[in-house]
Amino acid sequence: DERIQFYLEAVITYQSDHNLAMAIMREEAMKHPLFIDGRNIRLKMEKAEILPVKVVGLESYGIRLRAWVWTKNNNDAFDAKCDLMKTLKERFRETRIEFATDIAALRRTP
């Protein structure tokens, strides 16, 4: 079984609508042609979410969101993740969801 689950993460500002951002992440990932339903029989019977998206961190600079995305193999996971990061940037801009910036990290950069 070559299926693989990868994390699609975004850190958005506290002022951004995190519910909308989570919905966009789910929508875009589920409509990607390389996405598969990775749930096992038990999870399907329990009607577990096909693609969970959760708040996984409250950083000093923003809210960390994570989607658990399944593809059929590692190559598809890489391609899907690259496509989805680009798509999220575009969709977030359209809906005025702002990515958070780690100001401390920027200050350390020469």
Side-chain angles (χ1 to χ4, degrees), residues 28-68:
E28 293 299 331
M30 287 184 69
K31 75 180 186 184
H32 194 281
L34 298 176
F35 167 77
I36 64 168
D37 181 351
R39 297 175 299 168
N40 60 29
I41 293 169
R42 180 183 59 81
L43 291 174
K44 288 179 181 179
M45 289 179 67
E46 293 173 358
K47 300 191 185 320
E49 282 185 88
I50 293 174
L51 198 152
V53 181
K54 300 183 183 287
V55 173
V56 295
L58 300 175
E59 315 291 343
S60 61
Y61 51 93
I63 303 167
R64 182 174 303 276
L65 307 175
R66 178 182 294 167
W68 285 262

Side-chain angles (χ1 to χ4, degrees), residues 9-20:
E9 288 194 351
V11 182
I12 62 171
T13 63
Y14 281 101
Q15 295 76 28
S16 295
D17 183 340
H18 68 279
N19 289 316
L20 178 58

Side-chain angles (χ1 to χ4, degrees), residues 4 6 34 71-82:
I4 188 166
F6 69 89
L34 298 176
T71 58
K72 68 180 182 178
N73 59 45
N74 197 47
N75 289 335
D76 283 359
F78 178 78
D79 289 341
K81 188 170 187 172
C82 291

Side-chain angles (χ1 to χ4, degrees), residues 6 8 28-29 32 69 80-88:
F6 69 89
L8 179 64
E28 293 299 331
H32 194 281
V69 184
K81 188 170 187 172
C82 291
D83 292 345
L84 289 168
M85 287 189 294
K86 179 180 182 292
T87 301
L88 287 184

